[in-house]
Amino acid sequence: ADIALYAAKEGGRDRASFFDDELEEALLTGLELEQDLRRAIDNDEFVPYFQPRFHADAITLAGVEVLMRWPHPERGLLMPDQFIPAAERANLMLEMDRALIRKTFDLLANNGALPDPALPYRIAFNLNAAQLLDTGFAEAMGRIATQYSVPPEVIEFEIVERVLVERVAQETLRELREAGFGLSIDDFGTGFSSFAYLKDLPVTCLKIDRSFIAD
């Protein structure tokens, strides 16, 4: 009964859920994944993958987007959709993302590849609600930029539309922008935003959702 209740809550509440063997197996798998995630944080297992961005006119490098990957010791390389939902349920994303950002700059610094402010080059990180609802996030990112001597102007943070309805998130965005960081809305057009709403948001870039240009 408790497992069925848990499943009903996970499904969005206001619903009924019936216990069966598959439900129990799914719950146990989810709990096991959460335990693995906590171990992965302690062992610093998450690694950055770099997806290049190009200028469409000259096909020159415009920057990179940093994507999180998890080389699981038993299950192999895991994509974000295989572990991010579990991390969000367990409230682990804030710790995971901050560690990934630091690891990214350590990697770039060790290879002499930190962004050069003299070049039109940006490095982008994806943020979720956990970071934007953390009132100390902007200040923490400022300290990281200072530590690695990277101007905030070459760092961009990407967010999805659904987190923009939170007032605390909007305040964090303004703090990031005032500090000089770039801000991008990912998958624009599929959530709550409108062009009129953009007047009140300090964003510097829109990434139009692929559904609008696929055909």
Side-chain angles (χ1 to χ4, degrees):
D2 190 54
I3 291 175
L5 175 63
Y6 180 85
K9 290 180 178 179
E10 284 289 289
R13 299 177 181 271
D14 296 326
R15 67 185 64 216
S17 177
F18 296 91
F19 174 83
D20 57 27
D21 291 340
E22 290 185 3
L23 191 62
E24 183 175 27
E25 183 178 353
L27 176 64
L28 293 176
T29 300
L31 293 175
E32 182 179 310
L33 183 59
E34 287 186 15
Q35 293 174 352
D36 286 351
L37 283 166
R38 297 180 189 281
R39 187 209 67 242
I41 292 174
D42 292 338
N43 295 338
D44 196 22
E45 294 179 7
F46 302 102
V47 296
Y49 271 49
F50 299 93
Q51 176 174 283
R53 291 178 173 181
F54 294 97
H55 292 289
D57 53 354
I59 316 299
T60 54
L61 188 66
V64 294
E65 180 177 346
V66 180
L67 307 173
M68 184 184 293
R69 298 291 185 265
W70 181 15
H72 193 283
E74 297 174 357
R75 300 170 59 183
L77 187 65
L78 299 183
M79 299 294 106
D81 61 345
Q82 295 176 281
F83 62 87
I84 293 297
E88 290 178 336
R89 288 195 300 269
N91 296 318
L92 298 174
M93 285 306 304
L94 185 62
E95 191 173 358
M96 288 166 55
D97 276 341
R98 286 200 184 186
L100 185 78
I101 291 172
R102 286 194 174 277
K103 178 176 278 191
T104 297
F105 284 114
D106 281 339
L107 182 64
L108 294 175
N110 292 337
N111 287 276
L114 287 171
D116 186 344
L119 300 175
Y121 179 91
R122 298 290 183 271
I123 181 168
F125 297 93
N126 292 288
L127 299 185
N128 59 37
Q131 284 81 4
L132 294 175
L133 298 180
D134 174 21
T135 55
F137 180 76
E139 183 179 352
M141 292 303 100
R143 289 196 299 268
I144 289 178
T146 300
Q147 176 184 344
Y148 291 93
S149 300
V150 176
E153 295 77 34
V154 303
I155 302 173
E156 182 177 285
F157 294 109
E158 291 190 7
I159 57 176
V160 293
E161 289 180 275
R162 66 177 180 271
V163 304
L164 297 178
V165 296
E166 297 284 352
R167 185 173 299 276
V168 177
Q170 294 179 27
E171 183 62 31
T172 299
L173 291 179
R174 291 188 176 88
E175 291 176 357
L176 288 169
R177 192 71 195 100
E178 289 171 0
F181 296 103
L183 298 173
S184 173
I185 297 181
D186 200 4
D187 299 332
F188 182 77
T190 59
F192 300 102
S193 293
S194 68
F195 285 107
Y197 189 45
L198 288 176
K199 293 189 298 183
D200 299 323
L201 295 173
V203 297
T204 55
C205 177
L206 295 181
K207 295 178 69 177
I208 306 300
D209 185 72
R210 69 180 66 188
S211 62
F212 293 99
I213 60 173
D215 299 323

